[in-house]
Amino acid sequence: MDKNNIININDLEAPLFIAWQINAECNLGCLHCCEEAGHSMPDKLSRDETFKVLEQIVALKIPYVAFSGGEPLLHPYIFEMCEFLRKNSIDLKIETNGEYIDEKKAERFASLNLRSVQISLDGATSVAHEKLRLGGNWNKATNACKLLKSKGVNTEIVFVPTKFNIHEIGQIIDFAYSLGVYGIYTGKIMRIGRAAQNWDILCPSDEEYKEFFTTLNEKLKQYDGKMKVYFYPYDVLEELKYRRMSPAASLLVIPNGKVKLIGPLPFVCGNLKKQTLKQVWENYKISWQKPQVQEFIDRLIKEPKLLAESNKWVELFH
Amino acid sequence: MKLKKFVKTRDEKFGEVIFDTLKEKVFVTNETGKDIVDLLQQGYSSENIVRSLSDLYNKEPAEIQNDILSFIDSLKNNSLIEV
């Protein structure tokens, strides 16, 4: 049996994972939002189109889907979408700011037997969290974790380090453990979307990252076997250098049904309003080899500022 | 023995993908591995898997036993199955 990195996407009939940004609406205006969410997308997928995509996910036996946004709990029929996938045994993760999770929603998530609900918590206290997540409410986010946990939902926390909060990494991990969550995820902030626009005020220094990873490694040992502490040590350029050689077996669907190669690149390899998921998957496989993509990655490596263009979509197929 | 709650499988031309969605780890195996996982999912014990596959492949159980048990061990070691 072979693990992970030797998977060649050309050997796969379909993706293994769909990251689906189901809406662009958001109640917050986070300084580091990758999707620059907060607006309504005029050409978003209709209800019929959405369910056609869901049906294809089931038909292609794609084992794992994550719904994010925007804020996915603002999507008008998120629970129906969840129910459809779960009824068909597709594992599902919801990535939310947690602010709309009340007792009733927590119970509904519990009944869906989700893989997990992931709450964004960018501070061990309200100060850093709310400075970074404009309009955000730390109490609501932490209460969401408590409610979900109390209902038996597998709950995770994601923490994005910035200059405002990187020093809180140890505290947030301890806090996550005190909440009883399944795990906490973190990694270097990605220079895309609104984070790219605010890069100078957000990006931690090398020295701050060094301390961050030292603490993470200590916490990893401290919570070994008790709570999952997961961090991805690479930045977005390192990720791209790797992915150009070994693309992930996943598709990133945005609210209007377009499918991006990967978050940090502007390239779109298909449109689920016009093409089947299978056709888009075939496009995806060949897209990575296109000179346009490879050359853009080369340019990015020399000029990381170009990452700010990640949400200015470039169609690879016409 | 059975696959853990968040472990999914999908047939592919080369055999099968085994995806632990909770840990977000993917494994691949060939047709024989796929046959073993299928039998595990049907509730077969290790001994019965050896017997069943020896019939299927027309081999002596002793010939294939070590490979099968070692594959099942690797599933256990990667926490993909529960006993």
Side-chain angles (χ1 to χ4, degrees):
Chain A
M1 192 165 62
D2 297 313
K3 197 176 102 177
N4 270 359
N5 42 14
I6 59 146
I7 286 191
N8 183 337
I9 56 167
N10 293 312
D11 295 335
L12 297 176
E13 295 291 319
L16 293 172
F17 174 61
I18 300 281
W20 189 347
Q21 295 166 4
I22 62 173
N23 63 351
E25 292 89 350
C26 189
N27 54 317
L28 309 186
C30 302
L31 297 179
H32 56 331
C33 180
C34 299
E35 291 85 30
E36 303 175 58
H39 56 284
S40 181
M41 218 176 257
D43 56 345
K44 58 191 169 193
L45 290 173
S46 68
R47 186 188 175 87
D48 278 355
E49 288 165 340
T50 300
F51 276 86
K52 273 182 192 155
V53 175
L54 290 169
E55 282 163 11
Q56 292 175 74
I57 289 172
V58 173
L60 290 173
K61 297 182 180 167
I62 296 169
Y64 181 27
V65 173
F67 288 158
S68 64
E71 169 45 50
L73 282 168
L74 288 172
H75 192 284
Y77 36 91
I78 182 178
F79 281 102
E80 286 172 73
M81 294 167 69
C82 293
E83 280 156 9
F84 185 89
L85 289 182
R86 291 301 300 131
K87 197 175 65 189
N88 287 286
S89 301
I90 309 291
D91 287 348
L92 181 61
K93 172 164 78 163
I94 311 291
E95 299 174 5
T96 167
N97 61 37
E99 301 213 356
Y100 292 98
I101 293 179
D102 54 17
E103 185 132 358
K104 210 171 161 186
K105 289 197 179 77
E107 276 169 9
R108 209 157 171 196
F109 278 140
S111 72
L112 286 166
N113 206 2
L114 301 174
R115 182 261 184 208
S116 63
V117 175
Q118 182 180 285
I119 307 284
S120 296
L121 199 61
D122 285 328
T125 62
S126 63
V127 181
H129 177 88
E130 292 173 10
K131 195 172 180 181
L132 203 55
R133 308 182 73 80
L134 302 184
N137 184 318
W138 184 83
N139 282 324
K140 284 186 182 173
T142 53
N143 281 339
C145 294
K146 289 174 190 166
L147 270 175
L148 291 165
K149 174 72 188 153
S150 73
K151 304 294 177 191
V153 178
N154 203 28
T155 307
E156 297 171 309
I157 286 173
V158 63
F159 172 86
V160 179
T162 65
K163 270 195 177 302
F164 301 134
N165 62 356
I166 193 164
H167 55 285
E168 294 186 9
I169 184 62
Q171 284 168 271
I172 186 89
I173 294 173
D174 294 341
F175 183 62
Y177 184 67
S178 75
L179 290 172
V181 299
Y182 169 75
I184 179 164
Y185 288 79
T186 189
K188 289 183 173 179
I189 182 172
M190 289 200 288
R191 188 175 182 166
I192 57 176
R194 225 174 273 142
Q197 293 155 21
N198 295 314
W199 195 241
D200 292 342
I201 58 166
L202 293 177
C203 182
S205 65
D206 289 346
E207 195 54 40
E208 285 168 324
Y209 267 134
K210 198 175 161 193
E211 272 182 48
F212 173 77
F213 285 114
T214 303
T215 306
L216 269 173
N217 279 309
E218 287 166 9
K219 293 294 175 187
L220 190 68
K221 284 180 200 149
Q222 184 181 341
Y223 291 109
D224 185 30
K226 297 176 187 164
M227 178 180 72
K228 186 177 176 184
V229 178
Y230 179 80
F231 61 93
Y232 191 67
Y234 306 110
D235 67 19
V236 73
L237 290 177
E238 289 163 311
E239 167 80 4
L240 282 174
K241 283 180 203 168
Y242 174 68
R243 287 295 167 207
R244 74 193 306 186
M245 306 304 295
S246 180
S250 62
L251 294 178
L252 171 57
V253 182
I254 57 179
N256 57 10
K258 292 187 178 188
V259 179
K260 285 188 73 180
L261 277 195
I262 190 170
L265 292 178
F267 300 110
V268 166
C269 63
N271 184 343
L272 294 171
K273 284 187 175 188
K274 298 174 183 166
Q275 295 160 295
T276 65
L277 197 47
K278 177 77 176 159
Q279 286 167 335
V280 175
W281 174 242
E282 296 307 321
N283 285 354
Y284 174 86
K285 290 185 196 175
I286 55 175
S287 292
W288 282 94
Q289 298 313 316
K290 283 186 172 270
Q292 189 182 0
V293 172
Q294 293 288 327
E295 284 162 20
F296 188 79
I297 295 172
D298 288 335
R299 281 180 62 206
L300 272 180
I301 292 164
K302 288 179 196 150
E303 296 173 70
K305 278 186 179 178
L306 288 171
L307 285 165
E309 294 180 17
S310 62
N311 292 326
K312 292 175 188 162
W313 309 314
V314 176
E315 309 271 353
L316 288 170
F317 299 89
H318 297 281
Chain B
M1 281 181 292
K2 60 175 184 177
L3 290 177
K4 283 196 171 171
K5 186 175 168 187
F6 292 108
V7 176
K8 302 286 179 199
T9 59
R10 188 174 75 198
D11 293 355
E12 294 287 346
K13 281 180 194 147
F14 55 80
E16 185 169 63
V17 172
I18 306 169
F19 190 0
D20 182 342
T21 66
L22 194 57
K23 293 185 177 161
E24 298 184 340
K25 284 185 179 170
V26 178
F27 304 82
V28 290
T29 186
N30 58 18
E31 282 291 339
T32 311
K34 176 183 149 13
D35 289 341
I36 296 170
V37 172
D38 285 349
L39 293 172
L40 276 172
Q41 298 215 74
Q42 291 170 46
Y44 279 54
S45 66
S46 306
E47 295 74 23
N48 285 338
I49 290 173
V50 173
R51 226 168 282 143
S52 176
L53 293 185
S54 76
D55 290 344
L56 181 69
Y57 304 147
N58 200 20
K59 302 242 183 198
E60 286 299 314
E63 244 181 291
I64 58 172
Q65 179 171 288
N66 284 349
D67 286 345
I68 291 173
L69 295 182
S70 144
F71 180 81
I72 293 171
D73 276 346
S74 73
L75 292 171
K76 283 182 195 164
N77 294 338
N78 284 294
S79 300
L80 295 169
I81 52 175
E82 54 195 1
V83 182

